[in-house]
Amino acid sequence: MEEKPARSTVGKFVIEAEEAQAMAKESGVAAVRELLPLLVPAAQRLARPPISNYRVGAVGLGASGRIFLGVNLEFPGLPLHHSVHAEQFLMANANAHGETGIRCVAVSSVPCGHCRQFLQEIRGAAEIQILVTSDEDPAFRPLASLLPHPFGPPDLLHKDAPLLLEPHDNELGALDATGVAVGGGGLCNGIGGGGLDRRLREAAEGAARSSHAPYSGCAAGFAVADGGGRVYSGSYVESAAYNPSLGPAQAAMVACLAAGGGGGREGGGWGIVAAALVEKETAAVSHEGTARIFLEAVAPGAHLKVYRFRPSTAV
Ligand SMILES: [Zn+2]
């Protein structure tokens, strides 16, 4: 392709609809979706794959006209299943920004099976148009051509159940004051004082209410704070096939990087100093153990508080 986006998109993970229109015009392409493959190299540069050094960039067009970027994230010291795939990042990024649908995605490498499955959580997934820029003849093709005869939400959920990118307002119940657990080494250094703790809890609680967790019923949210006191939160996203699910801690790292956090240096750590997890006390699964392991590897010594909510129906 000869067209080049005229504007700098360095470091941007969300491009507003008006700007996307203007960029398409300046780039000489007929429609915004034709701009997506032109942005893939810039997305790849934002990836953080210190284990594989294999950079994946994904760029999606939302129903709102906004463009969302996604990149792969890898976390040294942790098993590979803690990684975030670019397509997952893209969807979590869109979800965090209230996007209601993704219609077209351009991606640097052909989506792996894990991502083909993860994308099934979006209503009308079969019709999402995928373009692989590394193909010999890149063209948008429906996701159904990459994953025919899929297993997905219709196999497990009522047809009216909200899917990913649709509004969620999960009932968490009441905060169980006896269920607040503290860990990590941050309490003694003054980080995690009242104001920051409150903001982390509120952010994690909001993320839990927006969580897509219809299979376990374990809505969960995670929030992290950097040394500048900036807070980033992410919602747990489940997959009908379970294993491709995106954990709340990973979703928070997506939010952190997408909002310009993450330490600013690819190999220099994430700059996280404190975190909070909100989950249900009586849920079938708990993220606490995994989140502690994750945080210890990503931000050693960071302070973590876990808030467990007790559903009103519980005794
Ligand atoms: Zn993948």
Side-chain angles (χ1 to χ4, degrees), residues 61-296:
L61 176 60
S64 66
R66 288 178 293 177
I67 289 175
F68 298 91
L69 272 60
V71 301
N72 57 326
L73 306 179
E74 296 170 354
F75 303 100
L78 289 169
L80 297 183
H81 68 264
H82 287 271
S83 307
V84 178
H85 294 223
E87 296 91 329
Q88 285 184 304
F89 189 120
L90 166 60
M91 294 305 165
N93 183 21
N95 193 43
H97 287 88
E99 186 54 67
T100 57
I102 294 288
R103 293 171 173 166
C104 307
V105 175
V107 60
S108 56
S109 304
V110 66
C112 73
H114 171 104
C115 289
R116 298 177 196 200
Q117 180 64 54
F118 185 81
L119 294 173
Q120 299 305 313
E121 295 307 309
I122 296 166
R123 199 172 302 280
E127 297 305 317
I128 297 174
Q129 301 295 306
I130 308 283
L131 179 149
V132 181
T133 59
S134 58
D135 276 356
E136 204 166 293
D137 180 22
F140 283 102
R141 296 184 176 86
L143 179 58
S145 69
L146 293 174
L147 185 58
H149 198 38
F151 178 83
D155 293 296
L156 296 177
L157 303 177
H158 187 275
K159 64 180 177 57
D160 295 328
L163 299 183
L164 182 58
L165 302 183
E166 295 177 342
H168 289 66
D169 188 15
N170 302 305
E171 181 60 47
L172 299 177
L175 179 61
D176 180 353
T178 63
V180 179
V182 180
L187 273 180
C188 56
N189 64 10
I191 296 169
L196 184 58
D197 269 355
R198 178 182 51 75
R199 290 197 293 128
L200 280 166
R201 178 180 63 75
E202 290 175 353
E205 187 179 333
R209 292 190 192 283
S210 301
S211 173
H212 175 64
Y215 309 109
S216 72
C218 178
F222 199 78
V224 295
D226 63 21
R230 294 212 296 165
V231 171
Y232 314 94
S233 61
S235 299
Y236 175 43
V237 178
E238 287 187 339
S239 158
Y242 282 28
N243 297 69
S245 300
L246 181 70
Q250 280 84 354
M253 305 314 282
V254 167
C256 175
L257 194 59
R265 304 186 314 281
E266 187 176 330
W270 285 79
I272 302 301
V273 299
L277 169 69
V278 164
E279 63 180 1
K280 288 185 182 178
E281 186 182 58
T282 55
V285 300
S286 169
H287 295 276
E288 180 179 347
T290 301
R292 287 195 187 284
I293 291 168
F294 181 85
L295 192 65
E296 179 58 28

